[in-house]
Amino acid sequence: ELEQAREDMGRISEDQETSNEELQSANEELLSGNEEMQSLNEELETSKEELQSTNEELIIVNRELMEKQRELNRTLNYLEAIIANLREPLLVLESGYRVQIANAAFYKKFDVVEAQIEGKSFFDMQQQLWNNYQLRNLLHKVLPEKERVVDEEIIIDFPSGKQKSFIFNAQEIVHNTDSEKLILLSMEDITERKMTDGYKKIIAELKKTNEQLDRYVHVASHDLQEPLRKIMIFSDLLLNGKDNLLENNATLKKIASSAERMSGLIKGLLDYSRVAHHGELFEPTDLSKITREIMTDFELLIKEKQAKVDIGQLPEIEAIPIQMNQLLGNLIGNALKFSNEGVAPIVKVSSRAFARKDIAKYPALSPKMDYCEIIISDNGIGFNPKYQEQIFLIFQRLRESRNQKGSGIGLSLVKKIVENHHGAIYTVSEEGQGATFHVILPVEQPR
């Protein structure tokens, strides 16, 4: 029994050792699991911190998005207010050129409501009012070719039979996303403005014509003075002279010539006054012929002052004959009138082609045109070079003298005539040493 008990005790002891080993192994596993749990716990803590940080970032992003949404809403409200208050009609067109939206100005201008146009084709709505070939062609290029329509004037035919002029502007509404492409189209009715501008232009032309007529009325007496003076002098000679038939015939011829000359001047002034657009009066004008006629007017003055007048060959240009008569008459008359006391006047009239290289010096001249230069020089009293601009001002006289009378209109008229003919004029003079006037005129008027 003792032996059996010893064996049992031995087995129990072995079993206990085995159990101890298992318990020790289990304890080690528990310790290992505890370490793993601790590691997991640390990882969870780290994840919790990361989640908390991410949550804070999301809150910040959400606040920023809400603020941006508010800003966007404010911007949209601002733009809608601007569009609603624009005076010009405005449309947004979507695919197929259908109207997505229109502003209040469009509805008011064309007396339509939303149901009549929104969702409808732009070219079909309003009884195909906008189905204009030119407008359609322009809008077809906006999206495919990325072109902008800028201030394109197009005439639209209305069903009533009236025509109205519109200015169109259009461009693509650009989005950063691949959303539907839209066209912003604005239009402005300029019919009344064009009519007003037309009236203003007509009024300005009439005002200009009236001013020119006033100037020519002032100088008409001056231009007619020489023929009348000759008629009076020759009439006196005829009345008080002897009964010499040959002399009387010659005197009568001179009277008739002066009367004919005066009649031509009056007719020219009347023609000028009747034509609103002076461009209709331009015609080929022989300046040599006009100068010869002017010399007959100054025949007595030349004889009285014992003047020598040298007339060179002058060209034929496109001009208004009556104005060329006044221009040359004033310049030659001044050369004879403003002479040095006791010195016989010497007047030279010549011409030459104006050099192209000098055209740039005068803003009124065009490099595309040919010009001639008429030169009138004398040995008279001249004037100080500092007055070379002042002498062309109306009613401006540099001297007051009983022997040298003048209205102060002649040279201002000369300059105006030169400007009417798209030319230029300048002077070269020294006091007491005569003066030279250079008149630059186009051979043909611009078209």
Side-chain angles (χ1 to χ4, degrees):
E1 290 177 0
L2 286 171
E3 185 66 27
Q4 183 65 40
R6 190 178 293 113
E7 288 177 1
D8 291 337
M9 287 294 291
R11 282 194 300 274
I12 291 169
S13 179
E14 289 175 359
D15 292 339
Q16 189 173 5
E17 286 178 4
T18 301
S19 297
N20 285 337
E21 288 175 357
E22 290 176 354
L23 286 171
Q24 188 173 358
S25 176
N27 187 41
E28 290 173 354
E29 289 177 359
L30 285 172
L31 288 172
S32 176
N34 188 39
E35 290 174 356
E36 289 177 0
M37 289 293 292
Q38 188 173 355
S39 176
L40 287 171
N41 190 40
E42 290 174 355
E43 290 177 0
L44 287 171
E45 286 290 332
T46 303
S47 297
K48 182 181 177 182
E49 291 173 357
E50 290 176 353
L51 287 171
Q52 189 172 356
S53 175
T54 303
N55 190 43
E56 291 173 354
E57 290 175 358
L58 288 172
I59 291 172
I60 293 171
V61 169
N62 188 47
R63 287 175 182 168
E64 291 176 351
L65 287 173
M66 290 177 67
E67 182 61 31
K68 287 186 181 295
Q69 183 65 37
R70 283 193 290 270
E71 288 180 7
L72 181 61
N73 289 336
R74 284 196 296 270
T75 303
L76 288 173
N77 291 335
Y78 178 70
L79 291 174
E80 285 177 1
I82 291 176
I83 291 172
N85 286 280
L86 283 175
R87 294 177 58 189
E88 290 78 17
L90 186 144
L91 295 168
V92 175
L93 306 180
E94 55 189 20
S95 62
Y97 303 99
R98 293 189 305 275
V99 178
Q100 187 182 83
I101 192 172
N103 69 341
F106 187 92
Y107 295 123
K108 182 178 179 181
K109 172 72 177 177
F110 300 106
D111 193 23
V112 291
V113 295
E114 293 180 12
Q116 292 177 290
I117 63 168
E118 291 190 5
K120 304 288 194 304
S121 170
F122 175 65
F123 301 116
D124 293 335
M125 68 182 196
Q126 295 175 270
Q127 299 178 357
Q128 296 187 337
L129 175 64
W130 309 106
N131 192 18
N132 176 281
Y133 172 79
Q134 187 180 355
L135 179 58
R136 181 186 285 271
N137 190 45
L138 287 171
L139 290 179
H140 281 343
K141 294 180 180 179
V142 173
L143 293 179
E145 301 179 22
K146 305 293 183 184
E147 285 191 10
R148 290 183 61 190
V149 177
V150 180
D151 293 341
E152 287 286 346
E153 182 177 343
I154 299 175
I155 296 175
I156 301 297
D157 296 315
F158 277 69
S160 61
K162 291 184 178 179
Q163 287 188 329
K164 292 190 177 182
S165 296
F166 284 83
I167 291 288
F168 289 92
N169 287 273
Q171 71 175 60
E172 180 185 355
I173 300 175
V174 180
H175 291 280
N176 294 326
T177 62
D178 295 331
S179 60
E180 184 180 14
K181 294 181 179 179
L182 304 173
I183 297 175
L184 180 64
L185 174 66
S186 65
M187 58 188 74
E188 179 186 1
D189 187 351
I190 61 168
T191 308
E192 292 183 4
R193 189 173 74 190
K194 285 187 71 176
M195 291 176 65
T196 303
D197 291 343
Y199 293 146
K200 286 180 179 178
K201 186 177 179 181
I202 291 171
I203 291 169
E205 287 179 357
L206 288 172
K207 185 178 179 182
K208 182 180 177 182
T209 301
N210 287 336
E211 289 174 354
Q212 291 175 339
L213 286 174
D214 286 341
R215 278 192 289 267
Y216 285 102
V217 167
H218 279 295
V219 298
S221 60
H222 177 273
D223 289 341
L224 300 175
Q225 185 176 358
E226 285 301 322
L228 279 173
R229 183 167 170 261
K230 287 181 69 177
I231 290 172
M232 291 170 65
I233 290 172
F234 288 130
S235 297
D236 287 340
L237 288 173
L238 190 63
L239 290 171
N240 301 322
K242 297 177 181 179
D243 294 332
N244 187 320
L245 187 60
L246 291 175
E247 288 183 2
N248 288 348
N249 284 338
T251 303
L252 284 170
K253 285 181 181 179
K254 288 183 179 181
I255 290 173
S257 175
S258 296
E260 184 180 353
R261 169 82 174 137
M262 187 169 64
S263 175
L265 289 173
I266 292 171
K267 182 179 181 299
L269 286 169
L270 287 173
D271 289 341
Y272 184 88
S273 67
R274 288 170 182 162
V275 179
H277 301 286
H278 300 153
E280 299 174 19
L281 291 173
F282 284 101
E283 60 181 67
T285 304
D286 187 346
L287 298 184
S288 290
K289 180 182 178 183
I290 286 179
T291 307
R292 286 195 299 270
E293 292 174 352
I294 290 170
M295 294 307 297
T296 63
D297 292 342
F298 292 120
E299 182 181 356
L300 293 176
L301 183 60
I302 292 170
K303 187 175 181 180
E304 178 186 323
K305 291 206 169 192
Q306 299 180 340
K308 180 182 179 182
V309 182
D310 181 13
I311 307 294
Q313 182 62 38
L314 301 181
E316 181 180 286
I317 64 171
E318 190 176 9
I320 301 175
I322 185 67
Q323 291 192 359
M324 290 297 101
N325 184 86
Q326 290 171 325
L327 183 146
L328 292 168
N330 272 290
L331 292 178
I332 294 173
N334 284 350
L336 291 169
K337 182 166 57 176
F338 295 105
S339 59
N340 287 303
E341 190 173 350
V343 179
I346 299 175
V347 181
K348 293 182 179 180
V349 182
S350 61
S351 71
R352 63 190 178 193
F354 189 67
R356 282 189 170 274
K357 62 183 179 62
D358 295 329
I359 289 178
K361 297 178 183 178
Y362 302 94
L365 306 185
S366 168
K368 298 178 181 179
M369 297 173 62
D370 294 322
Y371 294 87
C372 65
E373 184 177 7
I374 313 300
I375 304 162
I376 298 97
S377 61
D378 62 64
N379 64 337
I381 58 176
F383 56 85
N384 193 312
K386 69 180 181 180
Y387 297 122
Q388 61 181 352
E389 294 297 330
Q390 184 180 337
I391 61 170
F392 293 111
L393 300 177
I394 193 166
F395 303 126
Q396 291 292 318
R397 297 191 64 219
L398 303 185
R399 293 179 177 81
E400 293 293 338
S401 170
R402 291 181 181 178
N403 298 325
Q404 295 164 349
K405 296 179 180 179
S407 63
I409 296 175
L411 287 179
S412 68
L413 176 68
V414 165
K415 185 170 184 181
K416 188 63 183 176
I417 290 171
V418 171
E419 290 173 353
N420 286 348
H421 285 73
H422 308 95
I425 185 171
Y426 69 95
T427 62
V428 178
S429 181
E430 288 291 340
E431 197 163 358
Q433 298 181 20
T436 302
F437 286 81
H438 296 257
V439 181
I440 304 163
L441 297 171
V443 177
E444 292 183 351
Q445 290 298 310
R447 304 301 178 199

